Amino acid sequence: MKIIRLNSVSKFYKQSKVLDNLSLEIEEKERIVIVGPSGCGKTTLLRLIAGFTAPDTGSLFIEEDLAARDGKIIKEPQERNLGMVFQDLALWPHLSVEENIAFGLKARGVGKVERKERIKAILTLVDLIGYEKRKPFQLSGGQQQRVALARALVLEPKILLMDEPLSSLDTALNLRLRREIIGLQEKLGFTLVYVTHNEKEASDIATRLVKMDQGLTK
Amino acid sequence: MSERLFLTVIVIFLMAVGMSPLLFMLFESMSVDGHFSLNAYAEVLQTDRQWTLMRNSLTLASAVALLTTLVGVPIGILFGKTDLPFRRFFTILFVTPLLVPPYISAVSWSNFFTHAGGFSFQFLFGLPGAILVLFTVFLPVPMLLTIFFLRSIDPSLEEAGRVFASWGKVMRGITIPLIFPAIALSFMLVFILSFGELSVANFLRYDVYAMESFTQFSAFYNFKAATAAALPLVVAALLFLWVEEVFLHKRRVGSHAHFGREVQLIPLGTFRVWLFLSVAILGFTIVLLPLITLLIQSAGLSHYIDAFDRAGDSMLRTLLFGVFAATLLTFFGFFTGYLIHKRTLKIWRLADAATIFLFALPGTVIGIGLISLWNTPWTNFIYAGPAIIIFGLLAKYTALTSKISAVQLSQISPSMEEAAQVSGAGWFRTVVFIVIPLAWRGLAVAWIIGYIFSLRDTAVTMLIYPAGQDTLPIRILTLMANGSPELIASLCVIMILITLLPAALFWLILKTIIKVSP
């Protein structure tokens, strides 16, 4: 099944064309990595899939449902059943690790008992048991990365979007987390859409590589 | 409730509270027996007295704006950019006169010169005295704007210059041109505030234009003439709106993202002691001296007992109105600031412009507008109750709290909110559990500013307070006619304490919480 489909999508910012008549199909359980230089439109593409912005022209389908078309968002981000790990991680500093992860579950009305179980399971998966009560600033870079992953994955999304999530980490940690992300994707079976400008990182993670330049895929 | 609907309701409410009275007032002034007529405008604007008053106001406002900018900008640079000792203390000291009703400064100076006697007493009453008092009141405006803009400059811009130039050259060539919008904006802001201020000029017996609209309404009860007389004040407010648009929206100096990064301080070297002494002398002269005079004159328990007897009810009311108005100002300011920051609705610019316009407009004009709209048999419950005061304060000061909120929100990464959205949270949940907790420091500052400005207000409340519901600043103004100088001095001291003590206490609690939180 085509889990994401973009049909002739264009996006402008002021006078410049960030995405230029782009069409792309992403299969279920694929690990697709979008790679390209800064400013080529890869983050815009990710934000478009997430639902933070709409294509000026063209259409976007998620799980075969129309999600956005011609400047209009039809499905809001919270209705798309996807998770996202941001470049700056966007961990809420006023909430503990546990609360960060629980936020989405509460928003979706998951009961207390089930919530506890799912948080425990996901923390075990990302190896963060014992860190539940800590605030994000009390964690190392790698641990923060895992919290961001856990927060996205606890909702069991069909699609996980990752926007240069490892760019701020040192090489050793970057390599280790790459392997962990691949392992999690294989285990949980979500579709991964990963954005990076690092070609080595891209080829390590991808089952399919999409190169972008000046708003076009190659 | 969806984001767009909720924000639309907020904007409509603010428009109804602030702009509809003005439009209604304009409509009424141009209608005679159901026909369109500009007679009221022709009558008011064609008299010689109008032009004399206008000349007086322009002279006063220009002089105050020029003086405060010439002194305030260098002081702002000293406090915000150099290693001057006790600069934080000095900042607080110099801001104090802005936080209390302006006429209290006039009373303090009057008391000081009365003690000095002779020539100096005569000097105070008239243009020089009005300039002096308004200079001390509005000096913090260019000072604070300069400090604020200095902190918004990307430090790397100065660092790039420092690689091959001295601090002096970097300041002249890079920093000061970058803060030029602050200088222009503060000049215009002080001009507009001085142009619309009437309590100081009235106390010091200097006739100004802002008094005309007030007189036409309060003395002659002539709505049409009062509206016509307000027209130049509206034009001045629109001019300010244009300047704000040119200098703040189109020439943004830097990103708020630079806040929090350490500001590189200029070492003053051998000038440090001399500049410290100069600032200390200036602070003592223009802030402490009049305050000390006020304290000396009010000394004695009997004066304070008398003050509580004569105005105890007003004090309590002032506190209640202040707390209530500040809370509403924070609420509406936050959501207006959110709209301005996120630009969710196309009307964001209208909301921004309307709140700034109302802030720039003299409070008396807002007051007359509110009365003309709400003084009907059907809306008497608003006109005759505290609601009209709250409406007036909301109309006048939402610009302050919305700007503070917008600045605070601009410092929160958009991904914080986006992360909540992809987690499945709706807009309201995201705002309540993510945005507000992240923006709470800005909200607390907005509340303090809302509280202080609601308390110090006389221009709006002077016209609209319902019978038996006057606030302390208004009670002091009324008692000035027949109260003893000692009683007035005691009331002024109490007014300063009521304004500053709760705000300072709130700030101290806030600082303690900030210290223990991440």
Side-chain angles (χ1 to χ4, degrees):
Chain A
M1 187 181 82
K2 307 273 183 284
I3 197 158
I4 299 170
R5 189 151 52 88
L6 292 117
N7 289 343
S8 308
V9 164
S10 294
K11 182 78 190 169
F12 298 85
Y13 279 117
K14 293 186 179 162
Q15 300 301 320
S16 60
K17 208 169 198 176
V18 183
L19 296 177
D20 188 5
N21 206 27
L22 184 144
S23 292
L24 181 67
E25 290 183 341
I26 299 171
E27 294 286 342
E28 206 173 4
K29 298 187 182 180
E30 232 187 325
R31 277 201 313 269
I32 185 165
V33 178
I34 298 158
V35 68
S38 297
C40 71
K42 37 187 207 304
T43 296
T44 303
L45 175 61
L46 214 60
R47 292 173 59 77
L48 210 134
I49 298 171
F52 301 135
T53 182
D56 292 321
T57 60
S59 52
L60 164 72
F61 291 83
I62 290 177
E63 294 186 87
E64 304 294 349
D65 291 333
L66 184 63
R69 184 170 61 194
D70 298 337
K72 198 162 187 240
I73 290 174
I74 293 156
K75 269 186 154 185
E76 292 293 328
Q78 64 268 28
E79 296 163 352
R80 296 189 181 193
N81 193 23
L82 45 79
M84 184 161 178
V85 177
F86 294 81
Q87 188 171 8
D88 63 357
L89 302 182
L91 294 176
W92 301 306
H94 61 295
L95 303 181
S96 67
V97 168
E98 190 178 31
E99 288 165 337
N100 260 279
I101 298 168
F103 183 84
L105 294 170
K106 278 187 196 169
R108 292 186 183 191
V110 176
K112 199 174 174 182
V113 178
E114 189 188 340
R115 216 160 57 216
K116 288 245 172 207
E117 282 170 9
R118 283 172 71 170
I119 291 169
K120 194 175 172 191
I122 200 75
L123 285 176
T124 311
L125 199 65
V126 296
D127 200 19
L128 276 176
I129 290 289
Y131 293 88
E132 293 86 342
K133 303 294 173 204
R134 295 217 186 159
K135 292 278 174 72
F137 70 96
Q138 294 169 311
L139 303 173
S140 68
Q143 288 166 334
Q144 288 182 358
Q145 199 74 40
R146 288 201 195 95
V147 177
L149 256 172
R151 187 178 68 181
L153 293 176
V154 77
L155 299 167
E156 298 170 359
K158 286 203 165 175
I159 304 161
L160 180 65
L161 309 174
M162 298 185 90
D163 185 6
E164 306 213 23
L166 309 180
S167 59
S168 62
L169 303 178
D170 62 61
T171 316
L173 192 56
N174 186 316
L175 280 170
R176 207 176 87 206
L177 282 167
R178 272 183 222 173
R179 284 195 293 273
E180 286 183 18
I181 291 166
I182 295 167
L184 283 168
Q185 192 270 339
E186 284 171 348
K187 190 171 181 180
L188 301 173
F190 52 82
T191 306
L192 177 67
V193 185
Y194 191 103
V195 159
T196 181
H197 63 270
N198 181 334
E199 299 222 5
K200 177 76 178 72
E201 188 179 319
S203 57
D204 273 4
I205 293 173
T207 52
R208 180 154 66 110
L209 206 65
V210 174
K211 288 197 175 184
M212 275 188 82
D213 196 10
Q214 294 183 333
L216 291 162
T217 54
K218 288 182 177 173
Chain B
M1 196 184 271
S2 81
E3 174 182 0
R4 297 175 72 84
L5 181 62
F6 186 83
L7 293 176
T8 305
V9 171
I10 294 282
V11 174
I12 290 172
F13 180 80
L14 284 176
M15 289 293 147
V17 163
M19 293 303 288
S20 63
L22 297 177
L23 294 174
F24 185 78
M25 179 177 149
L26 192 71
F27 173 77
E28 284 281 287
S29 70
M30 293 178 178
S31 168
V32 177
D33 301 328
H35 297 288
F36 176 76
S37 167
L38 291 174
N39 281 352
Y41 291 85
E43 280 170 25
V44 168
L45 299 175
Q46 278 175 4
T47 60
D48 285 345
R49 181 178 148 76
Q50 298 298 316
W51 297 109
T52 309
L53 292 177
M54 181 60 81
R55 197 170 51 244
N56 285 355
S57 282
L58 288 173
T59 310
L60 175 65
S62 307
V64 174
L66 191 68
L67 263 177
T68 50
T69 308
L70 285 176
V71 181
V73 172
I75 288 183
I77 293 172
L78 272 178
F79 294 173
K81 192 71 195 165
T82 71
D83 62 349
L84 187 86
F86 301 108
R87 54 191 179 277
R88 281 190 184 168
F89 166 77
F90 281 132
T91 307
I92 296 166
L93 180 73
F94 277 82
V95 166
T96 311
L98 183 68
L99 306 181
V100 293
Y103 73 82
I104 288 188
S105 290
V107 174
S108 315
W109 279 107
S110 159
N111 289 352
F112 171 74
F113 281 116
T114 308
H115 285 294
F119 160 78
S120 53
F121 185 71
Q122 295 305 318
F123 145 86
L124 190 68
F125 287 86
L127 180 65
I131 293 173
L132 170 72
V133 173
L134 290 180
F135 164 73
T136 62
V137 169
F138 295 130
L139 182 65
V141 174
M143 185 191 91
L144 289 175
L145 275 172
T146 303
I147 295 173
F148 181 82
F149 270 62
L150 281 171
R151 288 188 183 171
S152 75
I153 292 174
D154 181 351
S156 62
L157 296 176
E158 288 174 331
E159 286 159 8
R162 284 285 291 135
V163 175
F164 51 80
S166 65
W167 260 120
K169 283 180 182 158
V170 169
M171 284 300 290
R172 278 196 302 276
I174 298 167
T175 313
I176 291 177
L178 281 173
I179 63 159
F180 180 74
I183 299 169
L185 186 76
S186 59
F187 178 89
M188 196 60 211
L189 187 55
V190 173
F191 181 89
I192 205 87
L193 290 170
S194 309
F195 194 69
E197 223 300 311
L198 58 87
S199 64
V200 169
N202 185 40
F203 180 79
L204 297 175
R205 296 171 215 153
Y206 181 67
D207 293 335
V208 290
Y209 192 85
M211 201 64 202
E212 185 59 17
S213 183
F214 178 72
T215 311
Q216 288 291 349
F217 176 75
S218 58
F220 305 113
Y221 210 68
N222 187 343
F223 264 113
K224 286 184 172 47
T227 307
L231 189 68
L233 302 171
V234 173
V235 173
L238 286 171
L239 188 67
F240 172 73
L241 195 63
W242 176 76
V243 171
E244 197 268 351
E245 168 69 23
V246 170
F247 286 104
L248 268 194
H249 282 278
K250 293 187 180 162
R251 295 183 59 181
R252 201 171 283 278
V253 275
S255 159
H256 299 303
H258 304 299
F259 280 100
R261 280 186 67 175
E262 205 172 321
V263 177
Q264 278 209 346
L265 296 181
I266 304 170
L268 293 172
T270 48
F271 295 106
R272 202 163 177 245
V273 175
W274 293 109
L275 285 168
F276 168 76
L277 285 173
S278 308
V279 169
I281 291 167
L282 185 68
F284 179 78
T285 313
I286 67 171
V287 183
L288 288 181
L289 208 59
L291 279 180
I292 291 169
T293 316
L294 209 59
L295 283 170
I296 291 170
Q297 190 154 30
S298 67
L301 193 59
S302 60
H303 300 141
Y304 284 93
I305 292 171
D306 190 23
F308 275 99
D309 277 349
R310 304 277 292 268
D313 56 332
S314 294
M315 290 171 203
L316 188 64
R317 230 176 352 255
T318 303
L319 271 172
L320 287 175
F321 287 167
V323 169
F324 194 61
T327 308
L328 284 180
L329 279 167
T330 309
F331 176 82
F332 284 103
F334 171 76
F335 284 106
T336 315
Y338 184 89
L339 173 63
I340 293 166
H341 170 62
K342 300 273 286 185
R343 303 181 180 186
T344 318
L345 304 172
K346 284 182 181 165
I347 52 167
W348 73 268
R349 191 70 191 97
L350 173 73
D352 191 22
T355 51
I356 296 167
F357 169 72
L358 288 164
F359 179 68
L361 200 63
T364 45
V365 181
I366 295 174
I368 294 169
L370 284 167
I371 294 169
S372 62
L373 180 67
W374 298 108
N375 186 11
T376 69
W378 303 281
T379 53
N380 198 47
F381 65 99
I382 289 175
Y383 175 67
I388 197 160
I389 294 182
I390 302 297
F391 279 10
L393 296 173
L394 271 179
K396 177 81 179 152
Y397 299 116
T398 299
L400 293 173
T401 50
S402 77
K403 285 286 174 201
I404 293 167
S405 301
V407 168
Q408 177 70 49
L409 289 167
S410 72
Q411 291 170 57
I412 299 170
S413 166
S415 57
M416 293 285 166
E417 217 174 316
E418 291 167 356
Q421 276 182 290
V422 288
S423 296
W427 177 73
F428 214 78
R429 179 181 278 270
T430 304
V431 168
V432 172
F433 293 105
I434 303 296
V435 182
I436 290 176
L438 290 174
W440 72 272
R441 290 173 199 184
L443 290 177
V445 173
W447 193 92
I448 291 174
I449 296 293
Y451 174 78
I452 287 171
F453 275 81
S454 300
L455 252 71
R456 80 189 277 283
D457 180 84
T458 48
V460 180
T461 42
M462 185 155 54
L463 273 172
I464 57 176
Y465 75 90
Q469 306 243 22
D470 61 346
T471 57
L472 185 57
I474 304 297
R475 181 69 63 92
I476 300 173
L477 270 177
T478 9
L479 284 172
M480 272 181 191
N482 53 11
S484 70
E486 291 78 15
L487 171 70
I488 302 302
S490 320
L491 286 169
C492 287
V493 172
I494 292 169
M495 182 66 220
I496 293 169
L497 293 177
I498 284 180
T499 310
L500 297 185
L501 276 187
L505 190 69
F506 191 71
W507 183 245
L508 278 176
I509 295 170
L510 199 70
K511 294 266 279 184
T512 317
I513 297 169
I514 288 171
K515 268 184 191 163
V516 296
S517 70

